[in-house]
């Protein structure tokens, strides 16, 4: 099983999600691949991701995750808790600190959804923090120094013991992501 987890105010139809889905379909057509639209509620999001993960565990499938931004934060939690391998693309490290500036009305340009971020969301997202990476061999972390949304140095510090791929410049979307898909799939040990 491979689970692609998009970021905050993004979509399962974002460029990276679509590029990943197309690559998997072309090169690994028999792989169980999920790229769900993540609910805006933190607890609902984690309930969905946990259900997909636990179903794969029950079916004896190896766990593999790709998470971008907030999706990387969620993927980190899932890989630490359930096992498997995870590729984190410009991952959020302390999203609960960032949620403070997003309190109030939000709009997702991909889905057209209007919703609210409240203080409970900040507290909820903190529940899924992986303070210390106990299984560094489970992670490949892709970072670009030009990330205008997140400070890449936080991820560099948190995941210093993991396999890291650091590129100069770029941006939060990870410029040239599609060129990393072969490396990503090799790290995830896709069949």
């Amino acid at each position: 099983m491979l689970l692609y987890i998009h970021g905050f105010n993004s979509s399962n139809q974002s460029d990276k999600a679509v590029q990943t889905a197309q690559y998997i379909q072309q090169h690994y057509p028999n792989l169980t691949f999920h790229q769900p639209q993540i609910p805006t509620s933190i607890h609902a999001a984690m309930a969905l991701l946990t259900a997909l993960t636990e179903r794969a565990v029950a079916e004896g499938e190896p766990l593999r995750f790709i998470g971008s931004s907030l999706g990387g934060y969620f993927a980190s939690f899932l890989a630490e808790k359930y096992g498997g391998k995870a590729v984190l693309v410009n991952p959020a490290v302390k999203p609960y600190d960032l949620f403070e500036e997003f309190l109030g009305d939000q709009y997702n340009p991909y889905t057209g959804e209007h919703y609210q971020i409240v203080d409970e969301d900040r507290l909820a997202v903190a529940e899924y923090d992986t303070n210390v990476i106990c299984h560094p061999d489970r992670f490949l972390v892709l970072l670009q120094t030009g990330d205008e949304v997140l400070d890449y140095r936080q991820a560099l510090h948190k995941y210093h013991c993991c396999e890291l791929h650091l590129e100069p410049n770029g941006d939060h979307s990870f410029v040239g992501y599609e060129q990393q898909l072969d490396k990503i799939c090799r790290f995830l040990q896709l069949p």
Side-chain angles (χ1 to χ4, degrees):
M1 189 256 327
L2 173 58
L3 175 57
Y4 180 89
I5 310 170
H6 68 75
F8 176 72
N9 260 352
S10 189
S11 159
N12 61 357
Q13 295 304 308
S14 69
D15 289 344
K16 283 193 297 291
V18 169
Q19 289 166 352
T20 304
Q22 290 171 344
Y23 190 89
I24 295 301
Q25 180 58 43
Q26 181 181 0
H27 297 280
Y28 304 95
N30 297 322
L31 182 69
T32 302
F33 178 67
H34 300 284
Q35 64 180 85
Q37 179 61 43
I38 306 301
T40 56
S41 157
I42 299 300
H43 287 308
M46 191 50 75
L48 170 64
L49 298 172
T50 299
L52 289 168
T53 301
E54 289 179 351
R55 184 179 321 140
V57 168
E59 293 171 1
E61 293 187 51
L63 299 176
R64 300 171 182 102
F65 308 95
I66 299 174
S68 176
S69 191
L70 184 60
Y73 178 82
F74 290 147
S76 189
F77 173 83
L78 292 167
E80 280 286 295
K81 180 173 181 179
Y82 293 99
K85 296 252 186 201
V87 176
L88 314 179
V89 183
N90 285 334
V93 172
K94 298 178 181 178
Y96 39 86
D97 289 345
L98 299 173
F99 267 40
E100 191 99 1
E101 65 189 74
F102 292 107
L103 292 176
D105 295 332
Q106 292 294 316
Y107 172 72
N108 185 322
Y110 288 95
T111 64
E113 183 180 7
H114 292 270
Y115 64 100
Q116 291 247 324
I117 294 287
V118 295
D119 200 48
E120 288 78 24
D121 294 313
R122 186 179 59 75
L123 299 172
V125 81
E127 292 177 31
Y128 304 106
D129 190 15
T130 50
N131 239 352
V132 175
I133 299 303
C134 298
H135 305 282
D137 57 312
R138 295 180 182 173
F139 298 96
L140 167 61
V141 184
L142 306 179
L143 299 171
Q144 288 186 331
T145 63
D147 187 335
E148 73 284 6
V149 176
L150 300 171
D151 183 349
Y152 78 94
R153 293 170 296 193
Q154 288 184 349
L156 202 57
H157 176 73
K158 179 172 183 171
Y159 297 101
H160 71 277
C161 54
C162 303
E163 186 173 336
L164 288 165
H165 176 85
L166 177 64
E167 292 185 358
N169 306 316
D171 63 26
H172 187 59
S173 71
F174 201 95
V175 174
Y177 169 79
E178 66 281 359
Q179 296 162 11
Q180 301 297 322
L181 284 164
D182 180 60
K183 173 194 279 213
I184 288 169
C185 291
R186 275 187 280 114
F187 177 80
L188 294 173
Q189 300 173 338
L190 298 186

